[in-house]
Amino acid sequence: MTQLTDAAAAHAPASTGDASSRRTARTTALLYLGLAVAGVVSFMLIRPSLFEPGDPAATLANLVDSPGTARLGIAAEMAVVVTQALAAMWFFRLFRAVDAFAAGAIAVFGLVNAVVILVSAGFLATALDVALEPVGDPGTAQLLYLASDNMWGVGALFFGLWLIPMGWCVLQTPSMPRALGWVLVGGGVGYVLSAFVRYLVPGAGALVDLAAIPATIGELWIIGYLLVRGLGGVPLPDRKAEWRTRASVPTTSVPG
């Protein structure tokens, strides 16, 4: 009976760790999914309906005629900031037992990208304020939207950089598909290169879009994998158990 009890106790922490790992994996996936949805709404749906790159007067008219849509776009970018920051921290928690350095890189690059988009949201909010003044200034509103658009452009550097260590962590996790890891690494490199191509080769928009395809595939793949499978056999460190172990170690007093 004692042996059975000891065996059950030995298996309990691992089981608890696996459950914690699955919860963390699914929370990470949900945050990443929220980031993707907010990004699509803000950058791909709302922004094109308001911003006319070659026509400041049209941009101003769109902002004046649809202030609610403009405010929704600002809120969507703020949602990008929140979900990006939280996803970065949860990816660190998820992968720190696999490779602490790479997990830290995911967190740092993700947080920097969140700050970049935060600045972009500030530009959008200021553009709307300028547009809604009694005499709106189309030049200033257009400049602020251009600045916001370029924050997304240069921010692709860090969005690509955070995918590279993410892919590395996947490659170091035996239970996860190696193909997923390589797709994430390749997608991250593609994002970084696309940021340079955007400014070094004006008019190469099709090439920039093409470079983002591997990253999009990798992002959707890891979101789905973490939601369905979790990390798979890589339990998170049990900090409470570590503290209990330390507390149970008897201290030795030194004779005075």
Side-chain angles (χ1 to χ4, degrees), residues 47 50 59-60 63-64 67 70-71 73-75 77-78 117-148 151:
R47 181 182 296 259
L50 298 172
T59 299
L60 180 67
L63 292 172
V64 172
R71 295 186 193 283
I74 297 166
E77 292 219 351
M78 292 169 65
I117 304 306
L118 179 66
V119 175
S120 170
F123 286 147
L124 295 185
T126 307
L128 182 60
D129 287 343
V130 169
L132 296 180
E133 288 179 353
V135 181
D137 181 0
T140 301
Q142 186 79 350
L143 176 62
L144 290 165
Y145 258 84
L146 282 170
S148 170
M151 292 302 293

Side-chain angles (χ1 to χ4, degrees), residues 8 11-12 20 29 33 39 44-45 48 54 68-69 74 86 98 108-109 131 134-135 141 160 174 182 185 222 238 241:
H11 286 290
S20 178
L33 179 60
M44 299 181 70
L45 296 180
T69 302
I74 297 166
L86 292 177
V98 175
V108 170
F109 294 145
V135 181
W182 286 118
V185 171
I222 194 170
D238 191 343

Side-chain angles (χ1 to χ4, degrees), residues 5 74 94 100 112 121 130 134 137 156-157 164 170 174 182 188 207 209-210 233 242 247 256:
T5 304
I74 297 166
L94 182 69
V112 171
V130 169
D137 181 0
L157 286 172
I164 296 173
V170 170
W182 286 118
L207 184 59
D209 294 339
L210 186 64
E242 289 179 10

Side-chain angles (χ1 to χ4, degrees), residues 203-231:
L207 184 59
V208 172
D209 294 339
L210 186 64
I213 292 176
T216 302
I217 294 172
E219 289 166 332
L220 294 175
W221 190 352
I222 194 170
I223 288 171
Y225 189 91
L226 293 177
L227 280 173
V228 176
R229 298 287 299 276
L231 201 55

Side-chain angles (χ1 to χ4, degrees), residues 114-206:
V115 172
V116 171
I117 304 306
L118 179 66
V119 175
S120 170
F123 286 147
L124 295 185
T126 307
L128 182 60
D129 287 343
V130 169
L132 296 180
E133 288 179 353
V135 181
D137 181 0
T140 301
Q142 186 79 350
L143 176 62
L144 290 165
Y145 258 84
L146 282 170
S148 170
D149 196 60
N150 281 292
M151 292 302 293
W152 279 82
V154 298
L157 286 172
F158 285 98
F159 201 74
L161 284 174
W162 98 312
L163 290 177
I164 296 173
M166 188 186 302
W168 172 258
C169 287
V170 170
L171 290 170
Q172 299 306 305
T173 305
S175 59
M176 298 189 76
R178 291 185 63 80
L180 171 58
W182 286 118
V183 169
L184 287 169
V185 171
V189 172
Y191 253 127
V192 172
L193 292 178
S194 72
F196 285 97
V197 169
R198 173 173 176 163
Y199 296 104
L200 292 175
V201 189

